[in-house]
Amino acid sequence: MKSLLPHFIAAGVFAAALSGSAQTAPLTLEPVVTTTARTQDPLVVITDPRAAAQPAPAHDGADILKNIPGFAVIRKGGTDGDPMFRGMAGSRLGIIVEGEEVLGGCGMRMDPPTAYIFPAAYDRITVIKGPQAVRYGPVSPAGAVRFERDFERRKEPGSSGFATATLGSFERRDGAFDLRGGTADWQGRIATTYASMDDYEDGSGQTVHSAYERWSTHAALAWSPADHTFVELTGSLSDGEAAYADRMMDGRRFDRQNAGLRFRHQPTVGRVRSIEAQAYVNAVDHVMDNFSLRTFTPTMMMPGMTVANPDRLTYGGRIELDLDLVDALDLDVGLDHQSDQHRIRRTMNQAAMPFTAMPRSPNATFHQTGVFAEAAYAISHDRRIFGGLRADSWRARDQRSVVRVGMGGNTAPNPTAQTQRTEVLPGAFFRLEQDLPSGSTLFIGVGHTERFPDYWELVAPESATSLSAFQLDPEATTQVDMGWLLQSGPLDLSLSVFANQIDDYILIQRNTLKPHGMADGFRKATIARNIDAYSLGGEFSLGYRLAENWRGDLSLTAVRGTNETDDLSLAQLPPLEGRLGLTYEKSSWSTGLLWRIVAAQDRVAIDQGNIVGQDLGTSPAFDVVSINASWAPTERLRISAGIDNLLDVTYAEHVSRGGSPVAGFIQTTRVNEPGRFAWLKCDYQY
Ligand SMILES: [Cu+2]
C-alpha cells in the first residue's frame, strides 16, 4: 500500500492541501489572458489572482471570481458587488482569507467579505464546490472560496517581487506590488494595492453612479528556524470609498485592520505529519452617508444628512493536526473558533448632531466553536474516498433595545432585546472518486450542512409576525454533487452537477404588508422567513486544442430552483449562460476572443431573495463580445490588453440590484453593466 501514497497525493489538490505542502506561483508570466478558469480536480478550481483576465483584471475579491463558470457578481455600483455561486450568495458561500472568515459591518450589505480582498496581494484562489469540506469553518452550502498566500523557506538569502499596473476606460487606475525577501531563517513580505475608477458609462452612454477608490497594505514577518517549522506574524490595513447606484447612501469608509499569528510544524518522525495553529483579530469600521459622494437630496426615508457607522470586531483561531495513522489514510482533526461583536452609531442630522458625537450601541454578538475531522483514503491506485464531519456550537445575543420601523427614523421596543440563542449544528460530507483508464475521473459526493442564520438575516429584517427576526431557524442543506473530468490529448472536459434539498431556507422578502401599529392601514416591511426549497444545476466546460496554435473553450452553466412552500421559483437565480472562447497562441504572445451569451430569465419570484437583493422581474437575453491580447517579451514581463463589451451593448445581469434615484443620474431598473471598456495591464516579476 505504501507505494500508492505518492500517486494518491498527486491525484488531488485536496490531498496536497491536507499534507500541508504549498504550491508556489509560476516563475514565468504566461502570455495568456484567462477567460475561463478550468477545473483541475473533482470539485476544485484553482485560479491565479494575478493572471491577466477578461472581463477586465479584477480589483476586488468578487470580480476575480467572474471567470470561474458558475460564479456571478451582484452589481451595486463600480465595486463591492456580492459574489454568487450557483445562485447562492451571502453566507451560503464561504469566503476564507488565509484561514479567517472575514465579515463585513454594513447592515445594508455594502461590504461583503470580498470588499476587503485585494486580489493582487494573494498567490492563489481555491474554490471547493458544494458542501464538500469541513476544515474551513462551518460548512457553506454553495462552497468555499479560499484566498491564500504562500510561504516557502529560502535556500539562500535573496528577494523576489511582483509589480502590476492597469490603465482603463473611465479613469481606471490600478497598481500593486508585492516584495518578499530575507534569509533562510527570517523573511519579510510587504504588499500594497491601489485601485480607482471614475463613474462608468453603460452601453448607451448613461453615466452610472459608481466611482470608487481602494487601497490596502499587507505586511508579514516569518521566522523559519528549520525546514519544517514556520511562525508568521501578519498585519493588514485597508480602506476605500465607493459610490452606489442601487441605494440612497454611499460608502465613504471601509476601514479594516487585521493582525494574525500563524504557526506550522511538520515533524519528521512519528504519526503527526503536521501541526498548524493560527489566531487573528479583525476590526472593520464602515461609514456610509447620503451627501459625501452625491448631491444631498432629502427623501421620506432620510429627510436630513444621514450617516451610519457600523463596526465589527472579529477574533478567532484554529488548530489542526494532520495525522498519518495508517498507510494511504490521511486524517485531519482540528478545532476552530470565531467571536464577533457588531455595533452601530448613526445620525439623521449630521449638521446638528455629528455621528462622531453619538455613542456606539452594541447590536449583536456571535460566538462559534467547531470541531472537525476530515479523511482521505486511497482504496486502490484508481479509487479514493473522502469524508468529513464537524459540529459547531453557536451562541448569539440580540443587543438592540429598539428596532427601526418604517420611514424617517421611527423606532419601537425590540421584542427580542437581550435574547440569547444557542444551537449545535452538524456538517458532513462523503465523496468517492474513481479514475478510468481513458484518463478520466468520475466522482460522486453527498454533503449536509446546517447553517446558523447570519447577522444580516437575524438583525436587519423583521419576521412575518414580529418586529425582530432573531428567532429564525437554521437552514439545512443536503446536496449531491457528481461529475466527470476528462483529459485526453487535445481535449479537456469537466462536468459537475448538483441537486439539493434545503429545509428552512432563509428567504428575505421585501414589500410585505404589515399592520401599521400606531395608525390604521399597512406599511411595507422587509421580513426574513424559513421556507423549503430545492435547486439543481451545474457547470460544463470543454477545452479543445483545435490546431497547434489554436484553442477553443466552451462553458455552460445552469441552475434552477423551486420555493416549495410558496410554490414559486426560487428567487435570485441566474439564467442559463454560455461562454465561447477562441485563443491563438504563438511563443511569446496570444490573442483571444470571448463571446458570452446569457439567456432570458422568466422564472422569478418578485420581491423574494436573499440578504443581498430580491427579484425585480424577468430579464431579457443578451450577449457580449470581448477581445484580448497578451505579449510576454521576457519571462519576467507581460503586457496584456483587452476591450470588454466591444460592441458597447447596454445590458444588466439578471441578478443585480435595482437602480436607485441619484440626483444627476438616470434611474434604471437594474444597475447596468459598463459599456465598452478598454484596458491595458502590465505585470513584472523578478
Ligand atoms: Cu454601508
Side-chain angles (χ1 to χ4, degrees), residues 106-111 247 251 286-288 310:
C106 181
M108 306 299 292
R109 199 68 188 176
M110 276 182 180
D111 59 346
R247 61 193 73 201
H286 165 58
V287 176
M288 55 184 156

mmCIF file of all heavy atoms in Angstrom, residues 106-111 247 251 286-288 310, ligand 1:
data_model
loop_
_atom_site.group_PDB
_atom_site.id
_atom_site.type_symbol
_atom_site.label_atom_id
_atom_site.label_comp_id
_atom_site.label_asym_id
_atom_site.label_seq_id
_atom_site.Cartn_x
_atom_site.Cartn_y
_atom_site.Cartn_z
ATOM 1 N N CYS A 106 -21.514 46.364 7.301
ATOM 2 C CA CYS A 106 -22.652 47.164 6.843
ATOM 3 C C CYS A 106 -23.950 46.364 6.874
ATOM 4 O O CYS A 106 -24.067 45.312 6.244
ATOM 5 C CB CYS A 106 -22.396 47.647 5.423
ATOM 6 S SG CYS A 106 -23.725 48.668 4.783
ATOM 7 N N GLY A 107 -24.949 46.884 7.584
ATOM 8 C CA GLY A 107 -26.253 46.237 7.652
ATOM 9 C C GLY A 107 -26.958 46.244 6.308
ATOM 10 O O GLY A 107 -27.859 45.447 6.063
ATOM 11 N N MET A 108 -26.549 47.155 5.409
ATOM 12 C CA MET A 108 -27.133 47.241 4.073
ATOM 13 C C MET A 108 -26.305 46.459 3.050
ATOM 14 O O MET A 108 -26.490 46.596 1.855
ATOM 15 C CB MET A 108 -27.212 48.706 3.624
ATOM 16 C CG MET A 108 -27.925 49.631 4.584
ATOM 17 S SD MET A 108 -29.637 49.151 4.830
ATOM 18 C CE MET A 108 -30.287 49.510 3.203
ATOM 19 N N ARG A 109 -25.322 45.683 3.567
ATOM 20 C CA ARG A 109 -24.515 44.820 2.714
ATOM 21 C C ARG A 109 -23.718 45.604 1.652
ATOM 22 O O ARG A 109 -23.627 45.197 0.493
ATOM 23 C CB ARG A 109 -25.437 43.804 2.045
ATOM 24 C CG ARG A 109 -24.772 42.562 1.497
ATOM 25 C CD ARG A 109 -24.217 41.627 2.491
ATOM 26 N NE ARG A 109 -23.441 40.574 1.853
ATOM 27 C CZ ARG A 109 -22.764 39.639 2.518
ATOM 28 N NH1 ARG A 109 -22.763 39.605 3.831
ATOM 29 N NH2 ARG A 109 -22.077 38.727 1.872
ATOM 30 N N MET A 110 -23.174 46.769 2.068
ATOM 31 C CA MET A 110 -22.252 47.473 1.163
ATOM 32 C C MET A 110 -20.912 46.755 1.102
ATOM 33 O O MET A 110 -20.153 46.930 0.156
ATOM 34 C CB MET A 110 -21.978 48.882 1.681
ATOM 35 C CG MET A 110 -23.009 49.904 1.290
ATOM 36 S SD MET A 110 -22.471 51.495 1.944
ATOM 37 C CE MET A 110 -23.792 52.539 1.389
ATOM 38 N N ASP A 111 -20.591 46.030 2.175
ATOM 39 C CA ASP A 111 -19.259 45.420 2.254
ATOM 40 C C ASP A 111 -19.306 43.910 2.460
ATOM 41 O O ASP A 111 -19.094 43.411 3.552
ATOM 42 C CB ASP A 111 -18.437 46.080 3.369
ATOM 43 C CG ASP A 111 -19.103 45.960 4.747
ATOM 44 O OD1 ASP A 111 -20.295 45.612 4.806
ATOM 45 O OD2 ASP A 111 -18.415 46.192 5.757
ATOM 46 N N ARG A 247 -28.843 52.483 -4.150
ATOM 47 C CA ARG A 247 -29.371 52.821 -2.822
ATOM 48 C C ARG A 247 -29.194 54.307 -2.575
ATOM 49 O O ARG A 247 -28.596 55.013 -3.380
ATOM 50 C CB ARG A 247 -28.679 51.991 -1.758
ATOM 51 C CG ARG A 247 -27.179 52.240 -1.713
ATOM 52 C CD ARG A 247 -26.461 51.200 -0.888
ATOM 53 N NE ARG A 247 -26.421 49.925 -1.606
ATOM 54 C CZ ARG A 247 -26.228 48.750 -1.003
ATOM 55 N NH1 ARG A 247 -26.071 48.677 0.286
ATOM 56 N NH2 ARG A 247 -26.194 47.643 -1.703
ATOM 57 N N GLY A 251 -20.656 54.555 0.392
ATOM 58 C CA GLY A 251 -19.696 54.174 1.427
ATOM 59 C C GLY A 251 -18.501 55.107 1.390
ATOM 60 O O GLY A 251 -17.841 55.209 0.358
ATOM 61 N N HIS A 286 -16.930 51.026 9.219
ATOM 62 C CA HIS A 286 -17.513 51.427 7.938
ATOM 63 C C HIS A 286 -18.402 52.653 8.137
ATOM 64 O O HIS A 286 -19.165 52.704 9.101
ATOM 65 C CB HIS A 286 -18.313 50.240 7.401
ATOM 66 C CG HIS A 286 -19.254 50.565 6.286
ATOM 67 N ND1 HIS A 286 -18.834 51.126 5.105
ATOM 68 C CD2 HIS A 286 -20.592 50.399 6.169
ATOM 69 C CE1 HIS A 286 -19.883 51.298 4.317
ATOM 70 N NE2 HIS A 286 -20.965 50.868 4.936
ATOM 71 N N VAL A 287 -18.273 53.620 7.238
ATOM 72 C CA VAL A 287 -19.129 54.811 7.317
ATOM 73 C C VAL A 287 -19.851 54.979 5.989
ATOM 74 O O VAL A 287 -19.236 54.904 4.925
ATOM 75 C CB VAL A 287 -18.307 56.086 7.627
ATOM 76 C CG1 VAL A 287 -19.204 57.325 7.601
ATOM 77 C CG2 VAL A 287 -17.607 55.967 8.975
ATOM 78 N N MET A 288 -21.153 55.193 6.054
ATOM 79 C CA MET A 288 -21.925 55.484 4.836
ATOM 80 C C MET A 288 -22.795 56.716 5.091
ATOM 81 O O MET A 288 -23.215 56.968 6.221
ATOM 82 C CB MET A 288 -22.778 54.289 4.436
ATOM 83 C CG MET A 288 -23.714 53.776 5.506
ATOM 84 S SD MET A 288 -24.560 52.300 4.933
ATOM 85 C CE MET A 288 -24.970 51.532 6.475
ATOM 86 N N PRO A 310 -21.467 51.555 11.229
ATOM 87 C CA PRO A 310 -21.345 50.259 11.897
ATOM 88 C C PRO A 310 -19.882 49.866 12.053
ATOM 89 O O PRO A 310 -19.039 50.293 11.258
ATOM 90 C CB PRO A 310 -22.056 49.306 10.946
ATOM 91 C CG PRO A 310 -21.980 49.952 9.611
ATOM 92 C CD PRO A 310 -21.854 51.435 9.824
HETATM 93 CU CU CU B 1 -22.899 50.681 4.384
#
